Every structure is written in C-alpha cells, then in structure tokens.
Amino acid sequence: RQYGGIYSSHIRDEGEGVFDAIDEAINVGKGANIPVDIIHMKIAHKKLWGRVNEIIAKVQAARDAGFDIRANVYPYTAGQNNLSSIIPPWAFDGGREKMLERLKNPVLRPRLRREILNGLPRWYNHYLATGDGWAGMILVALKNPRNTPFQGRRMSELIAARGGNPADVLMDVLIEEDGTVPTVFFHHSEADMQLVMQQPWTSIGSDGTAVSPDGPTGGQHPHPRYYGTFPRVLGRYVRELHVLTLPEAVKKMTSMNADKIGIKDRGRLKPGMWADITVFNPDTVIDRATFEDPQQYPVGIEYVIVNGTVTVDKAQHTGATAGRVIYGPGKKSPGAM
C-alpha cells in the first residue's frame, strides 16, 4: 500500500469455489486498504453458467461500501492453462518430477483415473469445467514428435487417435511432454462474459504477451487473445453486437487500465501526456486470429504511435523501437532513500 500498488488477483478458484474466491480477494483489499483488480473475472464451470450476476453483486456491494474493487475481462469464452491442471493436486506434492513418477506408477493409476474423470471435493477440475469435455481443449504446444501432429488440435482428437481410457492417454501424454502442455480450455459462457464486460468497473485486458508469426514465437499456437483482444472488442462487441459503445470500449482499454495501476501520464489524449496513440477505422477494425489459426494480425488499424514515434504506418511496421519500461508509482527516484 505504501508504494501505491494494487492487489491484482488471479483468484483461487474460478469454478465451484468462485464465490468464496471473490470474497477472499475483496477481503484482502479491505484488510490491506488497497485497491483490488480481479484478473479476467468469470465463472469457468459449465454447471454454474448463468450465475455470474452473483459475483458481480459481490463486487458492487463492496464498491458501494467504499472499497476500490475492480476487475478486467477478455472477450473470449476460453482461457489458457496447462493440461496438467487435470491431474489431482495431491499428485503434485514434491514438484513436477514427483508428479511424473506418480503418473508412471501402475499402482496409482486406478486412483488417478477415477479422480480425473470424477473430480474431488473443493478441487477445480478443468476437465469437468469445460462445456464439451475433452473436445473443449485445444493443445497449444507439444514437443514430443509423437504428439506434435496434434498441436493446435482438440484433446479429443488425440485421445481418439491413441485409443483406450482418456485419463490414461492424458497421463501418457504428460509423461511424454515432461509434465507440461499449454492448453486452451473452453469453460465459460458468452452471456456471462458479456455481462462482466458491461460493468462500469471492468476494463479490457488480453491476458496475453507480445508474439509474432515470425521469429522464435512463430512456431507456437497461442490463444487468439494474444493477437485479437482489442480489435475483437471494437469490431464484434461494439460495432456488431452493441454490447458496449465505442467511447466505453476505448476507455476500458486505455485510461481505466492506466489509472488502476497508477500511471499518471498515459492512457488519454491530453497535452502533457505521452503520445501512445492507436488510429483505427471503426467500420472495419476486427480480429482475424482464431483458435484454429491464431497467428494472424487484425485489420483496420492504420497507425500506431508509441511515445510520439510512428511505429505502424498504413498497417505496416516502420521498424521503430520507441517503447520503454514503464515504472509504477512505487519506483524511487535516483538518489532517494
């Protein structure tokens, strides 16, 4: 708190425990007297779809009581985690190597198989949370040559090709991939996502990183939000569906995000501010990245100015590298004690 920071929380549980997890994040903010930002707020379990209004009400009640509780959201009904998240928690005790030993242990296989397919009390099981079971998972990155043909494809396809018990296929693949397979999970609903997006205290965040179709990131199969989050909001949720107005959407992408992390000189078109400017055509801007083919740039963004330097000119990168590290309010000035 003394550094002007916030509690930015990837909450403990987005499934059946989401209601307690939202309470927990709010209570941390209350106890520490610090702003809270709930990361990509959603209900990610098919049996709870339609109840997102309940967690919205929890945040609104805290705000009405004078506490600074906010959230962000991305415009997709899938998130990204790891295929290993379907392995029961106890199997991770001691770290990844111990987990792999347990997956190889034939004595433990029946227990693991049963718990993977049926779940455990108070454990957020991604397999049970998805709206379409094994078909609700896209495999993002695979290294073993036996598995690489399935990169970018559904887990159900890999299971069908292998044959046998799906839980055994899952465990075998994790063994072959050294315990980690980045995976997209389709686990929340469009209606819930739109309702969160419309709240006046939610901003837009991609939950992604900077990637390129060329170079070291070109061989990956990332979540399409890495490329498409902001143009998707402008094209689909503003122009096509009218979920947000254009001014609301721009505010949620710019000044709201700058304000919540204490950046005072960015996020607005205003004299004295740094000139970080995106010039887009509201009639054409849209994402092109898909879950099947995510490495695609959007269209309709003609110019990007970074720190006053034209970086994208007529939709082409100029080669300029005007970016810089942005420090929050807690950074001490040179010589400060």
Side-chain angles (χ1 to χ4, degrees):
R1 179 165 61 93
Q2 64 269 35
Y3 295 105
I6 65 172
Y7 176 50
S8 183
S9 179
H10 194 296
I11 58 174
R12 186 182 300 276
D13 193 327
E14 295 175 337
E16 292 178 280
V18 68
F19 306 103
D20 289 339
I22 293 287
D23 286 339
E24 181 181 39
I26 291 171
N27 287 332
V28 169
K30 289 179 177 180
N33 191 22
I34 193 169
V36 174
D37 188 31
I38 297 170
I39 301 300
H40 47 66
M41 184 171 163
K42 59 182 176 288
I43 290 185
H45 198 303
K46 63 180 179 181
K47 68 189 290 185
L48 299 175
W49 289 353
R51 294 180 61 185
V52 77
N53 60 303
E54 296 177 38
I55 60 174
I56 288 172
K58 287 176 178 289
V59 173
Q60 190 60 56
R63 290 179 59 83
D64 291 344
F67 297 98
D68 188 355
I69 314 296
R70 314 183 201 186
N72 65 46
V73 63
Y74 52 73
Y76 298 89
T77 58
Q80 184 168 317
N81 202 309
N82 201 287
L83 201 62
S84 63
S85 64
I86 308 176
I87 302 300
W90 60 265
F92 286 88
D93 189 19
R96 185 174 62 177
E97 293 303 320
K98 290 293 184 182
M99 183 268 288
L100 290 170
E101 288 178 17
R102 294 182 179 104
L103 297 188
K104 296 173 185 177
N105 187 335
V107 176
L108 292 176
R109 276 280 174 123
R111 177 186 175 185
L112 286 162
R113 193 183 302 126
R114 182 175 63 254
E115 293 176 355
I116 287 167
L117 297 177
N118 299 306
L120 288 170
R122 300 186 65 80
W123 169 43
Y124 177 40
N125 181 333
H126 277 64
Y127 164 67
L128 295 177
T130 62
D132 199 16
W134 301 109
M137 310 172 194
I138 294 178
L139 304 172
V140 170
L142 295 158
K143 297 176 291 187
N144 188 296
R146 184 181 183 185
N147 301 321
T148 51
F150 294 93
Q151 182 166 295
R153 295 169 67 182
R154 305 276 172 158
M155 182 62 178
S156 56
E157 298 178 77
L158 192 156
I159 290 170
R162 290 277 188 106
N165 186 288
D168 284 320
V169 175
L170 165 72
M171 290 185 275
D172 291 341
V173 168
L174 284 171
I175 292 167
E176 294 159 7
E177 297 293 328
D178 199 28
T180 180
V181 178
T183 302
V184 167
F185 293 90
F186 292 85
H187 51 29
H188 54 292
S189 79
E190 178 74 19
D192 282 355
M193 183 274 290
Q194 289 187 26
L195 189 58
V196 173
M197 183 185 291
Q198 289 177 312
Q199 301 310 304
W201 35 263
T202 56
S203 63
I204 307 297
S206 70
D207 200 44
T209 58
V211 292
S212 167
D214 306 309
T217 62
Q220 299 177 3
H221 192 97
H223 193 298
R225 64 191 178 193
Y226 285 36
Y227 284 90
T229 291
F230 302 101
R232 180 173 178 81
V233 170
L234 295 169
R236 177 168 173 77
Y237 293 100
V238 173
R239 184 177 67 243
E240 296 176 0
L241 299 181
H242 308 291
V243 174
L244 300 172
T245 68
L246 183 57
E248 285 175 330
V250 171
K251 179 180 179 181
K252 286 174 178 286
M253 297 175 183
T254 56
S255 62
M256 284 184 70
N257 283 321
D259 290 349
K260 74 169 59 174
I261 57 175
I263 298 174
K264 306 295 186 183
D265 55 358
R266 298 178 187 270
R268 290 174 174 82
L269 294 175
K270 185 179 177 181
M273 308 285 272
W274 287 95
D276 296 328
I277 302 169
T278 299
V279 181
F280 62 90
N281 185 336
D283 296 327
T284 62
V285 64
I286 195 69
D287 60 314
R288 293 193 301 167
T290 64
F291 286 101
E292 293 72 28
D293 188 9
Q295 296 258 18
Q296 298 188 79
Y297 288 118
V299 295
I301 297 176
E302 298 298 319
Y303 302 93
V304 177
I305 300 170
V306 178
N307 290 322
T309 299
V310 176
T311 302
V312 173
D313 186 356
K314 296 181 182 178
Q316 298 298 314
H317 201 294
T318 65
T321 53
R324 61 177 61 193
V325 176
I326 301 175
Y327 293 98
K331 179 176 171 57
K332 294 181 179 179
S333 60
M337 298 298 291

